[in-house]
Amino acid sequence: MLSGIGWVLGCIVIPGTAFWLRDFRYMNWIALLPIGFLMLWFYFIPESPRWLITNGRISEGKEVLRNIVKQNGLSDQDFDQKFAEFTKHLLRNEESEKSTKTYTVLDLLKTSNLRKYTLIFWFSWIVVGVVELPSAFISITALRYIGRRTALIIFLIIIAVSSLAIIPTTDSTLKVTFALIGKFAVGALWWIYEVYVP
């Protein structure tokens, strides 16, 4: 999630950097600097406790889980006992997985519970993509008939009004409707920016 914030901050910094440097070659080098910091950041990210335990690094996995418990303000009462049970469970599952066949994407549809979640997520991804299509067509039409500046202003107004309308609304259906209108306008605005800004 933080990497997404970094992407947004990068978009914010680009205009000032372009105004200051005025040379795309230098801009490319400046854009590479955060990636260097990102490489350093990987040293501070803890490894997955599950991976550590299943690869025999149990004491490291225990320390990572203990830190997770502390950071989330949870009680560490009976931590050692719970960790021992968790480790035993993981190692038993690891052994059973090694002895079974390899899995395919069709295994996501085998049990009713897993099938339900799989289909919901697949449908959600399709819907997210489909919602973007009308915003693209609307923005193309807007650019064609009312121009870049007017289209930009209209969609910014729609975003502002729909965002503000959510605050006093108590009806959940209206809240979702305003949120979708705002999301639609953001999608359309993004397409307009692609044409306007370069």
Side-chain angles (χ1 to χ4, degrees):
M1 293 174 100
L2 287 174
S3 63
I5 293 170
W7 182 80
V8 171
L9 291 175
C11 288
I12 292 169
V13 168
I14 283 175
T17 309
F19 182 79
W20 174 51
L21 292 174
R22 309 213 176 199
D23 189 319
F24 75 93
R25 294 175 188 84
Y26 294 129
M27 277 192 65
N28 284 337
W29 284 111
I30 292 291
L32 289 174
L33 286 177
I35 297 171
F37 289 114
L38 185 64
M39 295 304 206
L40 294 174
W41 182 43
F42 280 114
Y43 287 102
F44 298 99
I45 299 174
E47 188 55 78
S48 159
R50 179 183 178 134
W51 184 87
L52 289 169
I53 292 166
T54 55
N55 282 277
R57 295 162 63 178
I58 294 172
S59 59
E60 293 175 62
K62 186 175 185 178
E63 189 61 32
V64 171
L65 275 175
R66 196 182 291 278
N67 288 334
I68 290 170
V69 167
K70 285 180 185 175
Q71 288 172 4
N72 286 285
L74 302 171
S75 170
D76 61 352
Q77 187 178 3
D78 301 328
F79 176 82
D80 292 329
Q81 180 189 343
K82 290 176 182 175
F83 179 78
E85 291 172 4
F86 176 64
T87 302
K88 186 178 177 182
H89 172 73
L90 275 183
L91 294 176
R92 187 170 57 242
N93 282 353
E94 185 74 10
E95 284 301 316
S96 65
E97 284 177 7
K98 284 179 182 176
S99 62
T100 56
K101 68 180 185 69
T102 55
Y103 294 101
T104 68
V105 71
L106 295 176
D107 290 300
L108 293 170
L109 304 171
K110 279 194 172 175
T111 65
S112 61
N113 200 31
L114 193 56
R115 182 166 51 249
K116 178 179 73 175
Y117 285 112
T118 301
L119 293 174
I120 287 170
F121 284 120
W122 284 353
F123 180 75
S124 299
W125 276 107
I126 291 168
V127 167
V128 168
V130 169
V131 166
E132 295 295 326
L133 285 176
S135 65
F137 291 125
I138 289 289
S139 59
I140 290 168
T141 307
L143 288 170
R144 171 79 174 157
Y145 293 105
I146 61 176
R148 294 180 296 180
R149 184 182 301 173
T150 308
L152 185 79
I153 292 167
I154 288 171
F155 286 114
L156 282 171
I157 290 169
I158 292 171
I159 293 166
V161 169
S162 59
S163 299
L164 291 172
I166 291 172
I167 299 168
T169 307
T170 54
D171 182 30
S172 58
T173 305
L174 275 176
K175 275 185 182 288
V176 172
T177 303
F178 288 133
L180 288 174
I181 291 169
K183 171 70 176 82
F184 178 83
V186 167
L189 188 64
W190 186 257
W191 292 107
I192 291 167
Y193 273 139
E194 290 287 324
V195 175
Y196 203 132
V197 175

